[in-house]
Amino acid sequence: MNSFLSLLADEVLTLAGSNFHRYCIVLPSRRASLFLKKEFEKRIQRPVILPPIYSFEDFIYAHTPFEKPEPYEDLTILWKAVQKVTGLSGRSFDEMIDWGQVVINDFNEVDAYLIDPSTLFKYLENIRKYEIWGRNEGEVLSNFQRLYLEFYKSLEELYTIWSHEMQAAGLASPGGAARWLAQNIPSAHLDRKYEKIIFAGLNALTPAEERIISYFENNGKAILRYDADQYYLNDKLQEAGLFLRQRINLEKDKYIGNYLIDNQRNINITGVPGNVSQVRFLHQYLCECIEREGTAWLEKTAIVLADESLLIPLMQALPGKVGSINITMGLPLSYTPAGQLVQSFLSYTQEARPQGIHLSGLAELLM
């Protein structure tokens, strides 16, 4: 069975011909981009300039005037915005840390889903008013309740100032960049830059991403290919196919197969107690496989860690004969010594100050 990226590479080479550089390929992640380039490497024996291959997020940033902020860079800009908002200007930086990142994540979702901020934040403000005043009519608000309502009343102004400050710094959140491109695609001149844009393997898109793809579809510039299976597309009760069923034409999409049912596979389940034992078992299992089958199969092998804190122990436990292998490489900052130091410092400062207003109410409402 040929992989999805293998089929995609064959199709791109057939379609592009001598106009290879006039095509653009958009995939779900940078990892997928890396493996697609390896598929091209297997097929092309002469020097060529590959078409641009982006993750969807990179594609958006590459065609907007903004850059993605570095970690905590958007938080510092939020602090500048807080100081300019009348209802929040008296808050300290320590207080803002309590709810700052949650607010930024919510602002990102507002943009990604193309929501009118004025309508949303007014709605949230009214909900909080009803929550407080609806319990005891005529009750005098406490100082905490007053600050609580003032916070929600200030969200729209905070969003507006924060967005303006971000753009002035040449930055945008992923949702903000997607919103800008969705609303300004003609000015990006992508119609003239690319003959075709191939969107491959995408799923569960935000409204902003949907609008971007729809623009190219309507202008005859888009080719859509999905990495899917009939098993969960034909069964409407299968949640895995919920978003794909809205777009895929099963009769026309040649990539859709019935691999989960038709192909045989061997699944071995081994119960191992404890995280360290998992790493030791993997070391033993890899040694046995290498002794029996050599190392060629490692190129098509992936190690998926349920707990990414095991990444460093796993890297140390790999057999010496393993030249290269595909491992989920995400490693949260909190698992590094530097991250633990920062976490300890923030915990100390949080315990040393009185509790401020939290945004847990907004987080609960929007989850």
Side-chain angles (χ1 to χ4, degrees):
M1 179 189 73
N2 291 327
S3 68
F4 173 76
L5 292 179
S6 175
L7 294 172
L8 180 64
D10 289 334
E11 182 177 13
V12 172
L13 289 172
T14 301
L15 289 173
S18 60
N19 294 325
F20 207 38
H21 63 287
R22 293 281 295 158
Y23 278 66
C24 176
I25 303 172
V26 181
L27 299 171
S29 65
R30 292 180 180 178
R31 181 185 289 260
S33 302
L34 173 63
F35 283 96
L36 179 59
K37 290 177 181 177
K38 290 185 177 181
E39 292 295 335
F40 283 131
E41 183 181 347
K42 296 176 184 177
R43 291 161 172 77
I44 302 174
Q45 306 301 322
R46 57 187 175 83
V48 297
I49 298 177
L50 286 176
I53 304 175
Y54 298 104
S55 68
F56 207 155
E57 183 177 293
D58 289 341
F59 173 78
I60 290 172
Y61 276 109
H63 299 97
T64 66
F66 309 113
E67 295 182 0
K68 185 177 181 179
E70 296 294 331
Y72 300 108
E73 191 173 8
D74 47 6
L75 194 62
T76 60
I77 294 178
L78 181 67
W79 169 238
K80 294 179 182 178
V82 166
Q83 294 174 300
K84 295 181 180 181
V85 176
T86 305
L88 300 176
S89 57
R91 310 293 172 89
S92 67
F93 181 77
D94 285 349
E95 287 180 299
M96 189 211 67
I97 289 179
D98 286 342
W99 45 261
Q101 196 58 57
V102 179
V103 166
I104 289 174
N105 292 340
D106 290 338
F107 287 173
N108 179 66
E109 293 293 302
V110 168
D111 287 328
Y113 283 83
L114 302 177
I115 298 172
D116 175 26
S118 178
T119 302
L120 172 66
F121 294 129
K122 188 64 179 177
Y123 175 74
L124 292 176
E125 180 190 350
N126 289 334
I127 285 180
R128 295 313 176 203
K129 286 180 180 178
Y130 295 144
E131 282 183 348
I132 292 177
W133 283 321
R135 297 171 183 172
N136 297 300
E137 186 175 355
E139 179 183 4
V140 177
L141 297 181
S142 66
N143 185 57
F144 177 83
Q145 290 174 322
R146 182 182 59 79
L147 292 174
Y148 182 74
L149 291 179
E150 197 172 64
F151 174 81
Y152 279 93
K153 186 177 181 180
S154 303
L155 279 177
E156 182 183 351
E157 184 182 0
L158 179 61
Y159 167 85
T160 302
I161 296 176
W162 178 76
S163 299
H164 181 269
E165 292 286 342
M166 287 279 284
Q167 292 185 13
L171 303 172
S173 65
R179 183 174 200 145
W180 185 93
L181 186 59
Q183 296 173 343
N184 298 275
I185 297 181
S187 64
H189 304 299
L190 297 181
D191 291 355
R192 288 178 284 178
K193 187 174 183 180
Y194 302 118
E195 183 177 323
K196 292 288 184 181
I197 300 177
I198 302 173
F199 296 93
L202 303 176
N203 185 21
L205 301 172
T206 65
E209 293 168 339
E210 286 278 4
R211 182 179 292 185
I212 293 169
I213 292 178
S214 296
Y215 173 85
F216 295 113
E217 278 188 295
N218 296 336
N219 287 274
K221 292 286 185 178
I223 297 175
L224 275 69
R225 294 293 179 260
Y226 298 97
D227 185 8
D229 193 278
Q230 293 182 23
Y231 175 77
Y232 52 81
L233 287 176
N234 293 332
D235 185 356
K236 294 183 177 180
L237 296 179
Q238 279 285 351
E239 295 180 355
L242 176 63
F243 294 99
L244 291 172
R245 281 191 293 269
Q246 300 172 6
R247 274 194 164 273
I248 287 182
N249 186 327
L250 290 175
E251 297 178 358
K252 294 182 179 180
D253 200 313
K254 60 183 179 182
Y255 284 62
I256 308 303
N258 199 24
Y259 309 115
L260 291 177
I261 299 297
D262 293 342
N263 292 345
Q264 287 187 335
R265 56 188 53 79
N266 296 320
I267 300 175
N268 299 315
I269 300 175
T270 304
V272 181
N275 291 341
V276 176
S277 299
Q278 294 178 35
V279 174
R280 288 183 176 178
F281 169 78
L282 182 61
H283 172 86
Q284 177 185 343
Y285 178 78
L286 289 175
C287 287
E288 293 174 357
C289 291
I290 291 173
E291 185 70 24
R292 185 173 60 251
E293 304 176 27
T295 59
W297 57 276
L298 290 172
E299 293 184 5
K300 295 184 178 181
T301 300
I303 298 176
V304 181
L305 301 175
D307 182 358
E308 293 184 333
S309 65
L310 295 176
L311 177 60
I312 293 179
L314 172 63
M315 297 290 287
Q316 295 172 342
L318 288 175
K321 295 181 180 180
V322 176
S324 61
I325 195 167
N326 184 17
I327 306 174
T328 53
M329 291 299 291
L331 182 64
L333 180 65
S334 58
Y335 291 141
T336 65
Q340 293 170 2
L341 174 63
V342 173
Q343 200 170 42
S344 298
F345 173 75
L346 293 177
S347 297
Y348 169 76
T349 57
Q350 186 173 11
E351 292 172 0
R353 68 174 186 268
Q355 294 296 316
I357 289 180
H358 297 271
L359 196 61
S360 57
L362 176 58
E364 292 171 0
L365 184 65
L366 295 181
M367 284 178 61

